[in-house]
Amino acid sequence: MQLSVILSFAKENLNSSSVYKFANDLLLNLMNFSWLYLWTEVIDNTRNPDFVRKFVLDFFFEEKQNLRFDVYNVDSRSCNISKHDFLGQTFCTLGEIIGSTGGRLERTLSGIPGKKCGVIILTAEELSNCRDIATMQLCANKLDKKDFFGKSDPFLVFYRSNEDGTFTICHKTEVIKNTLNPVWQPFTIPVRALCNGDYDRTVKVDVYDWDRDGSHDFIGEFTTSYRELSRGQNQFNVYEVRHGMEVTLLSFKVESEYTFPTSLHYMSPYQMNAYAMALKAVGEIIQDYDSDKLFPAYGFGAKLPPDGKISHAFPLNGDNDNPNCVGIEGVLESYFQSLRAVQLYGPTNFAPVINKVANCAAEITDGSQYFVLLMITDGVISDMVQTKEAVVNAASLPLSIIIVGVGPAEFDAMEELDGDEVRVSSRGRLAERDIVQFVPFRDYIDRSGNQVLSMARLAKDVLAEIPDQLLSFMKSRGIEPRPALSSSPLPQLHRHI
């Protein structure tokens, strides 16, 4: 399966001065460093959150690796961070955290004038090379009744012990409502997240009764270790948490985490694959020029369930009537879900997706909308003749095509579509404009393994030609920028994937 992303810039009543403003803003944006954004989970109704989600970062002693931590209070389901309450921020380097005593750094949050924003505690630990993954299931009996009108809503919290004797949360089970004898669903956790490869390291488990207001009632606790858990269901893995209340290990299974070097779509829990990196690098910059943050995203080159039909333009979210994904994060989520549902398959045809986007672009050629199609591919192309014709036809439309090649393959075919030196032609017709920009991702991979730097380099180069391509279309149609009315702000451009 390949990945295509349609990035369009559109807005009702969009005047052409906004389009020209976009071109200038984008050029300035490309000169700035791009942050890699990572989010924790949301913890409801608490002023002292203990976040579960961990982030794996490559540490380089000889480099200054800047980090910024922003804290927000989530008030809605909006993906727009500006819709939520800013609570404070702090800056540090990865080296400062690692170099702190016990790998624990405490920093005061700031950013709101005249207000104390609280404290954030950051911890870091070197990961072992253990690649095993554990799957386990637990149940409990005769738990304490905590709710006045019902029974209890129990859940478990797992903590990994640190070398300095402190504990770090590493997993929460789901909440089982209204029961004193819960059976939790099986869950999977990397062994190094549970004990960092030290099989005898203490694992602490707390039992809580969930409350809507976030003040969960503590029921009890017990301690164990990976070595004990790995023995599976037996009399030693029945743990008393308080006065006859017991938690029992029902099952425990360990599997080695195998990698698939032949699949560029392999989803590692520790880092993004090349497809996701390319999408995130380009998308996070260009999405700033889109107003509704809804992007149609398509895959091509796969068999689809339930009948195994081969498709060359299927919506990643599985909805043929509405292929839009919310934001770049929504596109990534749909991509990962699609990988679990479809079977990668050939041939790899480019023309269907290009023609689909070209048909959309052909409907509005007055300069109020401009489309960018991002195609991420391993270099295999089975319909070169049809693709050339599609590019030539699209060259007269408000459309640019970015092709990012991932993997070690030779990209001669992709180079042929990039018309920098020789304009693409089909059936004796030359493309009216050069609308294709191709780059091999491997040329931008930082030798030290710094993903953020790799993504920043890629985004800068693949987006560098977009402003000129946009302006060339406007000039070819005689569309001149109109001055914006001083009484009303310029409308924001929006993008679709």
Side-chain angles (χ1 to χ4, degrees), residues 41-243:
E41 76 280 13
V42 175
I43 299 181
D44 295 330
N45 301 315
T46 180
R47 298 180 64 185
N48 301 287
D50 193 356
F51 297 103
V52 176
R53 188 173 301 166
K54 307 299 187 295
F55 304 105
V56 179
L57 304 176
D58 292 322
F59 172 62
F60 304 101
F61 175 80
E62 71 279 6
E63 296 182 12
K64 184 177 182 180
Q65 295 171 267
N66 293 307
L67 301 176
R68 187 182 87 192
F69 297 87
D70 292 355
V71 183
Y72 285 85
N73 175 45
V74 175
D75 285 332
S76 69
R77 296 183 178 181
S78 174
C79 294
N80 187 345
I81 196 67
S82 65
K83 301 296 183 182
H84 306 295
D85 297 328
F86 176 70
L87 299 181
Q89 70 178 187
T90 192
F91 297 82
C92 67
T93 66
L94 183 55
E96 286 182 277
I97 302 175
I98 294 175
S100 300
T101 303
R104 182 182 185 275
L105 178 65
E106 186 172 317
R107 280 291 175 88
T108 300
L109 294 170
S110 61
I112 303 178
K115 183 177 180 181
K116 293 183 178 180
C117 300
V119 172
I120 187 171
I121 299 173
L122 311 167
T123 59
E125 183 178 30
E126 183 180 0
L127 293 178
S128 73
N129 291 323
C130 177
R131 307 289 288 183
D132 291 342
I133 293 179
T135 300
M136 69 183 84
Q137 183 177 21
L138 298 99
C139 69
N141 297 300
K142 305 175 184 178
L143 293 182
D144 201 6
K145 181 179 180 296
K146 292 290 186 179
D147 294 340
F148 184 77
F149 291 106
K151 297 182 179 179
S152 289
D153 306 318
F155 67 96
L156 303 177
V157 182
F158 286 72
Y159 299 88
R160 179 188 72 237
S161 62
N162 302 314
E163 294 180 0
D164 61 356
T166 61
F167 288 89
T168 299
I169 187 170
C170 59
H171 182 74
K172 286 182 182 179
T173 68
E174 78 280 13
V175 176
I176 306 294
K177 293 293 187 71
N178 197 32
T179 181
L180 301 181
N181 302 288
V183 179
W184 289 281
Q185 292 292 321
F187 68 90
T188 299
I189 184 172
V191 171
R192 66 185 190 180
L194 186 66
C195 65
N196 202 22
D198 180 356
Y199 293 173
D200 296 308
R201 182 178 296 198
T202 299
V203 175
K204 183 167 76 78
V205 183
D206 288 349
V207 186
Y208 284 95
D209 171 45
W210 177 86
D211 284 328
R212 186 180 300 276
D213 64 2
S215 59
H216 311 306
D217 297 318
F218 178 74
I219 295 177
E221 70 176 22
F222 64 91
T223 60
T224 182
S225 68
Y226 171 82
R227 193 177 300 279
E228 289 183 15
L229 292 169
S230 65
R231 294 170 180 165
Q233 186 180 27
N234 60 53
Q235 70 271 25
F236 300 106
N237 279 326
V238 177
Y239 303 96
E240 186 175 28
V241 295
R242 184 197 295 174
H243 305 309

Side-chain angles (χ1 to χ4, degrees), residues 354-369:
I354 296 176
N355 288 330
K356 180 183 286 287
V357 181
N359 290 336
C360 296
E363 295 179 359
I364 304 176
T365 59
D366 61 357
S368 62
Q369 295 192 20

Side-chain angles (χ1 to χ4, degrees), residues 243-256:
H243 305 309
M245 293 180 285
E246 295 178 340
V247 172
T248 301
L249 178 69
L250 294 177
S251 64
F252 191 92
K253 181 176 65 174
V254 179
E255 297 176 311
S256 294

Side-chain angles (χ1 to χ4, degrees), residues 415-424 434-437:
E415 297 283 4
E416 192 174 349
L417 294 175
D418 191 323
D420 286 345
E421 297 181 3
V422 179
R423 191 70 58 85
V424 178
D434 172 21
I435 64 169
V436 178
Q437 166 76 342

